[in-house]
Amino acid sequence: MRDLGTGFRYLLKGQRWVARHGKQYEFGLIPGLITLVLYVAALVALAIWGEAFVSWSTPFADDWSSPWQGLFRGFLTAVLFALGLLLSVITFTAVTLLIGQPFYESLSEKVDRDVSPDGTVPVSGLPLWRELLISARDSLRIVLRAALWGVLLFALGFIPVLGQTVVPVIGVFVTGFFLTEELTAVALQRRRVELPERLTLLR
């Protein structure tokens, strides 16, 4: 509970900083908007061509009689779209951070400079291209971990009762864990805290 209270106080401090720096808030929204457009486009494409993809990938059902062919392929199309939607939710922040690395690096430096007693900012000492490479590598690792959890939870969701009660709660905790890692990655990476250490720190 002590850690929860500390985290909540930092949340309030962060919100006060955002309230005093409105332009920085708008600046930080740009990567999220870019990612949102890309994800919406991908989901729309999946909705439009998902049925055709399912038909192409299930040639064994071509000779099935009605209504079984339609029911089977309709079910697979719905599952495919639901899985795409789930992966979008889980990976959205990681992809946003990857796209917005230069944006968030700049914002993180400004926050550190404002809250630092002497105005100094921790630096990694690495060239920009190396930081971007590390960020891309770590984001990919997080996306893969999140995707594996997403597929597992999606499959467990079909278990009667547990799939509709316990699994969604676990999904919230898993999503929150990865979201926290992604949101703290920029500041911790600049302090040379590697991904395994960050994951251990958040447990």
Side-chain angles (χ1 to χ4, degrees):
M1 292 300 294
R2 182 182 303 173
D3 290 341
L4 179 62
T6 302
F8 187 72
R9 285 196 297 272
Y10 278 119
L11 174 63
L12 293 179
K13 288 182 179 180
Q15 294 304 312
R16 285 197 294 268
W17 189 92
V18 170
R20 295 195 306 268
H21 302 81
K23 291 184 178 180
Q24 302 302 325
Y25 177 75
E26 297 173 0
F27 179 73
L29 288 178
I30 295 175
L33 291 175
I34 295 174
T35 308
L36 179 62
V37 170
L38 294 176
Y39 271 53
V40 169
L43 289 174
V44 169
L46 187 60
I48 294 175
W49 290 294
E51 185 176 357
F53 173 77
V54 169
S55 298
W56 171 81
S57 60
T58 56
F60 56 86
D62 288 342
D63 299 328
W64 289 12
S65 60
S66 179
W68 305 115
Q69 182 192 82
L71 290 174
F72 175 70
R73 286 178 170 170
F75 172 75
L76 289 183
T77 302
V79 169
L80 179 64
F81 185 81
L83 182 59
L85 187 62
L86 178 63
L87 291 178
S88 297
V89 172
I90 292 176
T91 62
F92 182 85
T93 305
V95 175
T96 300
L97 289 176
L98 180 60
I99 294 175
Q101 175 69 18
F103 295 84
Y104 298 135
E105 183 69 29
S106 174
L107 286 175
S108 181
E109 288 183 4
K110 290 178 181 178
V111 172
D112 277 334
R113 186 173 290 108
D114 283 349
V115 301
S116 174
D118 56 1
T120 59
V121 178
V123 293
S124 64
L126 299 174
L128 178 60
W129 68 268
R130 182 72 183 279
E131 290 185 350
L132 292 175
L133 184 62
I134 293 174
S135 177
R137 181 199 64 191
D138 290 348
S139 295
L140 180 60
R141 289 177 175 176
I142 292 299
V143 166
L144 290 176
R145 283 181 168 89
L148 289 175
W149 272 100
V151 172
L152 176 62
L153 292 174
F154 181 80
L156 292 176
F158 289 99
I159 299 176
V161 183
L162 291 179
Q164 293 75 48
T165 54
V166 178
V167 173
V169 175
I170 296 175
V172 170
F173 282 108
V174 170
T175 303
F177 177 82
F178 286 118
L179 178 62
T180 303
E181 196 289 322
E182 291 158 1
L183 293 177
T184 56
V186 175
L188 292 177
Q189 181 181 318
R190 199 168 63 252
R191 290 164 171 80
R192 304 296 293 272
V193 181
E194 297 294 333
L195 179 60
E197 297 177 72
R198 299 201 299 265
L199 293 176
T200 301
L201 183 64
L202 294 175
R203 289 175 183 169

